Amino acid sequence: MVTTPGLPVDLVRDVVRLAGLAPSIHNTQPWRWRHDGAGLYLYPEPARLLAVLDPTGRQLLLSCGAALLHARVALRARGLEPRVELGPLADGPVGADSPLATIRVVGAREASAEELALAAAIERRHTDRRPFQPVPLAHEDVVALRRAAEAEGSWLRSFDDPQLRVEVAVLLAHADWIETHDPAYREELGRWRRQAGGAADGIPPSAVVSNDERQSEFVLRDFEITGDAGLPLGQVSVERPTVVGIGSSADTPADRLMAGQALGRVLLTATARGAAASPLGQAVDLPSTRALLGAVAGGLGHIQMLLRVGYPQPQAAPLAPTPRRAVDEILETTPDAPA
């Protein structure tokens, strides 16, 4: 295929805006973009790395991968054919000078109904930590999520077996206890908590679910930094959400970036099908519990993210948009970019 002329700035700005709506750990939005006459380049922002929670940058790469997926979906919805080149990616600390990925448009092709549905889901997708309806995901929805992950070179495992769910719940509770009793973790989390109004990143009040609302079989992350893991199981009627793990066969930077794209596609697919999700991130934050979680998943490879998925309550109010950094803050356009 032959590369088409460069993308106009107005189109690039809208694509970057939609890419910026991707999920990221603690809403750090650890990405930036550069556009020139040859392509659109995705870079990490190491200054936004969570040194305590994510010292290796694994979740930073997952976040950037989700943003990359959003950009690809946005281009496909416009009938453009993007080609993505990863890297060069090296082991070790994430650097700011080398692109994680380069997007070039290599042709035009009409978007499918599925691609248009994913694009329409970008602005509707929100992390939803509120209790879901007390029903599991329909089988066809789980199959659609699995296919979404596989389309991005990753895999998805649904934890349906009751014994496996117990093991996942125990690992999650153990990791949550370790984190909430770590002063460094609590201090870092506190730095990313935001008060109402003004902030363009971090965790807004609208994203925080109170302890009284945590009626789930699985421990949710405590953004109120109380150290309270929630009400004991059996004390209240709890939801039984579908829990899925997204993973990769290996654990290189490229695998993590691809898993982030899988995460982005899975979340958009869930939204397009009327479902919602939130991460059960504590179990994958810590190397020890992540390794144990991989064993629970059957040794398929490396778990990169654990999600709680379900259908929102019919009476639930629409979630407020999570704040996002302005396009001008995350996009650099060089002088040779087409107008």
Side-chain angles (χ1 to χ4, degrees):
M1 291 185 288
V2 178
T3 302
T4 64
L7 296 171
V9 171
D10 286 348
L11 187 149
V12 167
R13 288 180 63 85
D14 197 42
V15 168
V16 168
R17 179 185 68 84
L18 294 170
L21 298 179
S24 59
I25 179 69
H26 288 6
N27 194 30
T28 50
Q29 303 169 53
W31 48 66
R32 60 187 177 89
W33 297 85
R34 184 170 64 85
H35 170 225
D36 64 15
L40 183 60
Y41 308 86
L42 171 63
Y43 290 83
E45 281 211 18
R48 291 177 170 269
L49 175 75
L50 299 174
V52 177
L53 186 65
D54 186 31
T56 67
R58 185 185 67 84
Q59 297 195 65
L60 181 149
L61 289 175
L62 290 178
S63 302
C64 288
L68 178 60
L69 184 281
H70 275 217
R72 289 171 48 211
V73 168
L75 288 168
R76 283 296 304 123
R78 289 157 176 78
L80 299 172
E81 188 70 59
R83 182 175 65 197
V84 175
E85 298 175 6
L86 299 185
L89 300 171
D91 292 328
V94 176
D97 297 330
S98 297
L100 296 174
T102 300
I103 303 176
R104 292 186 175 89
V105 171
V106 295
R109 176 169 57 89
E110 184 178 357
S112 68
E114 180 181 354
E115 289 170 328
L116 291 174
L118 292 182
I122 288 178
E123 299 196 70
R124 303 200 319 269
R125 185 213 63 81
H126 299 289
T127 298
D128 195 342
R129 297 179 177 86
R130 300 172 299 182
F132 295 143
Q133 295 184 45
V135 294
L137 280 189
H139 173 71
E140 58 268 26
D141 288 339
V142 176
V143 170
L145 299 187
R146 182 175 297 116
R147 288 175 176 166
E150 291 171 352
E152 299 300 330
S154 299
W155 49 262
L156 181 143
R157 169 73 187 272
S158 178
F159 294 94
D160 300 320
D161 180 82
Q163 180 59 40
L164 289 182
R165 291 173 69 87
V166 169
E167 293 181 44
V168 171
V170 169
L171 286 174
L172 184 63
H174 177 63
D176 185 79
W177 188 94
I178 292 173
E179 288 187 337
T180 56
H181 288 79
D182 179 356
Y185 164 83
R186 293 161 68 92
E187 190 276 332
E188 181 177 73
L189 181 61
R191 283 190 279 111
W192 286 95
R193 278 294 310 273
R194 302 291 187 250
Q195 301 305 314
D201 58 10
I203 307 155
S206 60
V208 178
V209 175
S210 70
N211 288 339
D212 291 340
E213 295 179 89
R214 292 182 190 170
Q215 300 175 13
S216 179
E217 180 183 358
F218 298 89
V219 175
L220 305 184
R221 194 187 298 277
D222 184 5
F223 288 110
E224 295 182 317
I225 326 177
T226 62
D228 179 6
L231 296 172
L233 294 180
Q235 183 172 320
V236 294
S237 177
V238 299
E239 65 169 10
R240 306 290 179 185
T242 297
V243 172
V244 300
I246 297 172
S248 53
S249 57
D251 199 25
T252 67
D255 290 299
R256 294 170 177 182
L257 200 58
M258 288 190 295
Q261 293 181 83
L263 172 63
R265 187 174 289 273
V266 165
L267 292 173
L268 292 182
T269 300
T271 301
R273 300 180 73 89
S278 65
L280 298 172
Q282 307 96 304
V284 295
D285 291 344
L286 306 177
S288 58
T289 52
R290 188 161 78 97
L292 291 171
L293 189 61
V296 169
L300 296 174
H302 300 265
I303 290 276
Q304 300 291 354
M305 183 53 66
L306 193 67
L307 295 174
R308 157 189 170 269
V309 192
Y311 302 113
Q313 297 282 354
Q315 71 276 16
L319 288 166
T322 305
R324 287 296 191 268
R325 301 162 70 196
V327 170
D328 287 336
E329 185 179 346
I330 61 175
L331 173 63
E332 173 193 357
T333 300
T334 61
D336 54 347

